[in-house]
Amino acid sequence: MPFTLAPELHAQPTPFYHYDLGLLDATLTALQQAARPRNFQVHYALKANVNLPVLARIKDHGLGADCVSGGEVQRALEAGFAPEHVVFAGVGKSDAEIRLALAADIWCFNAESAEELAVLNELTGAQGRTARVALRVNPNVDAHTHAYITTGLEANKFGISLADLPAVVAQFSSWPHLELVGLHAHIGSQITDLNVFAELSQRLNELQTWLESQGHQLPHLNVGGGLGISYEQPDGQPIPDFEGYFSMFDRHLVRRPGQQVHVELGRAVVAQCGTLLSRVLYVKQSQSTRFAILDAGMTELMRPALYGSYHHIQNLSSTAPELLYDVVGPICESSDTFRKAVALPETRRGDLVAIRSAGAYGEVMSSGYNLREKVAAVYVGE
Ligand code: LLP
């Protein structure tokens, strides 16, 4: 079903984010139906969306929290996630962030370098504690996604490279305040070719066997996130293929008895339940192009400007025959373009426009550039 807006929301000042909590619930139910029988623990990657009503639903469905900053750790705790279900990842954790996570006694740090491990050991020791650590490896597996959201290649800044891993593992015993509990990898985001996850599983199998040969039994494996969604057909496939995703790992990842496998999904959980609503300010006809100038721009949804990414766009106010529009925002940047040559029913000033699949990496990436105000969020299906 194409997106529709409740009549009472037509008068809501624009732009605003609209979250369908009913769809979020259905997505979370499908997710856990695929994960639980296969014994996967799901941590929601807060970086995709940190709104409290969204987090409350996610927590209620029994997910843990994957955080990449002190702010996210705090938000997860505020939303009611138990500290023992919080992991803290990130290539550049500050001392203050590490201390905050230690004080909260979160479940695990995903550590990305020997340098970070040394600092973690020192700060943990200073508190007379022990921290649980998973080593984030860079498995050199190509996620076949946008270069800016590819993280698992040798050239990316993330994780411990395969070449450096032996030295890090050999050094581990010199960090008495750290307990090695797992292996972690995340190779990228918006992954639509599920075979990539088979390749990742195989690489993790090899690494696990090697770590065991070095005397390290791992109670946990964390395969990261990255499951993609259909930006082209948000209505055709509102809920991602969780069955396909988990069965891929189930078939290819070799688990030890009693070993727990964790995943960190962000986009696949929240993207389709969020829509950016905007109003057409002007329709401007130049010699070559017809522009629909919206009151939302890259300050509200940065993905098209940053990655050239596609978001489905609907005019909710018009049923006239279609014309082609370059749909743009009001910001003083040429990259402030949602998409060029979009077929929309004839569009006029005041029409409401829905920009779909914006629940993940939408509102969280908004900025105050041009002194724009932060937009409102509206929740339906509560
Ligand atoms: N785990 C780690 C270590 C990550 O770095 C990420 C995402 C995730 C999990 C969650 O990935 P997901 O399941 O959402 O694909 N702003 C970009 C996406 C950046 C993703 C960063 N890391 C976008 O708008 O496409």
Side-chain angles (χ1 to χ4, degrees):
M1 254 227 330
F3 178 84
T4 51
L5 191 64
E8 65 274 17
L9 289 175
H10 280 253
Q12 166 84 14
T14 50
F16 65 95
Y17 270 95
H18 177 282
Y19 294 101
D20 180 347
L21 297 180
L23 177 58
L24 177 60
D25 264 334
T27 306
L28 288 161
T29 300
L31 169 62
Q32 290 292 42
Q33 273 170 1
R36 282 204 165 122
R38 300 181 172 95
N39 205 13
F40 284 87
Q41 316 280 318
V42 187
H43 294 261
Y44 165 66
L46 260 81
K47 61 174 79 67
N49 187 304
V50 291
N51 293 6
L52 286 171
V54 170
L55 295 181
R57 294 281 160 133
I58 292 172
K59 187 203 58 135
D60 288 349
H61 281 261
L63 279 72
D66 165 42
C67 305
V68 287
S69 69
E72 284 188 3
V73 171
Q74 267 173 323
R75 178 65 64 93
L77 298 174
E78 196 186 325
F81 288 92
E84 62 266 28
H85 294 143
V86 173
V87 298
F88 183 18
V91 69
K93 302 175 188 77
S94 73
D95 294 16
E97 289 176 316
I98 292 173
R99 284 199 191 96
L100 183 149
L102 283 171
D105 200 19
I106 62 154
W107 173 62
C108 186
F109 289 83
N110 293 336
E112 306 218 5
S113 66
E115 292 78 2
E116 178 194 336
L117 285 158
V119 170
L120 193 54
N121 178 60
E122 188 190 315
L123 297 179
T124 309
Q127 295 193 6
R129 320 252 303 257
T130 305
R132 289 164 294 277
V133 168
L135 295 181
R136 177 174 180 177
V137 292
N138 183 331
N140 204 20
V141 172
D142 192 345
H144 301 297
T145 184
H146 193 285
Y148 285 10
I149 49 176
T150 292
T151 50
L153 289 178
E154 194 66 50
N156 302 130
K157 70 179 173 183
F158 299 99
I160 300 164
S161 72
L162 296 180
D164 293 337
L165 190 62
V168 175
V169 170
Q171 228 180 323
F172 210 90
S173 57
S174 69
W175 296 311
H177 305 292
L178 305 184
E179 181 192 353
L180 181 57
V181 298
L183 198 56
H184 172 242
H186 169 79
I187 54 173
S189 198
Q190 183 53 17
I191 295 171
T192 50
D193 174 4
L194 295 183
N195 292 315
V196 163
F197 296 118
E199 214 184 314
L200 170 62
S201 301
Q202 273 139 20
R203 191 57 51 84
L204 288 173
N205 293 340
E206 292 158 18
L207 288 172
Q208 168 154 240
T209 304
W210 177 79
L211 272 158
E212 285 167 350
S213 76
Q214 304 301 301
H216 294 283
Q217 312 295 323
L218 304 173
H220 301 275
L221 292 178
N222 183 334
V223 298
L227 175 62
I229 59 135
S230 176
Y231 281 98
E232 290 75 17
Q233 292 180 322
D235 301 310
Q237 209 197 340
I239 297 182
D241 181 13
F242 294 122
E243 283 290 329
Y245 173 75
F246 286 107
S247 67
M248 201 53 129
F249 285 112
D250 213 16
R251 268 183 288 146
H252 295 279
L253 194 66
V254 180
R255 305 188 202 191
R256 305 301 184 241
Q259 191 173 46
Q260 284 196 2
V261 182
H262 304 255
V263 304
E264 304 167 340
L265 293 174
R267 186 188 320 264
V269 181
V270 291
Q272 299 292 28
C273 81
T275 302
L276 176 60
L277 271 300
S278 179
R279 227 173 270 281
V280 178
L281 291 174
Y282 305 102
V283 175
K284 170 172 156 178
Q285 174 76 66
S286 75
Q287 282 296 321
S288 60
T289 311
R290 197 179 292 111
F291 293 98
I293 303 172
L294 307 187
D295 62 5
M298 65 192 286
T299 39
E300 286 69 48
L301 180 63
M302 197 193 280
R303 303 190 70 257
L306 194 56
Y307 315 113
S309 51
Y310 179 99
H311 284 261
H312 188 65
I313 301 175
Q314 268 174 259
N315 181 327
L316 304 179
S317 308
S318 169
T319 50
E322 288 184 345
L323 294 171
L324 291 182
Y325 297 87
D326 280 14
V327 179
V328 302
I331 309 300
C332 306
E333 300 277 344
S334 294
S335 58
D336 184 28
T337 296
F338 287 110
R339 192 147 44 85
K340 295 189 181 210
V342 185
L344 290 176
E346 188 174 1
T347 294
R348 296 175 201 279
R349 173 174 165 81
D351 284 359
L352 266 172
V353 168
I355 304 179
R356 306 291 306 280
S357 315
Y361 308 111
E363 197 178 343
V364 278
M365 292 175 74
S366 61
S367 83
Y369 185 41
N370 290 187
L371 274 186
R372 302 262 297 172
E373 278 175 29
K374 181 153 174 34
V375 291
V378 167
Y379 302 90
V380 302
E382 279 183 279

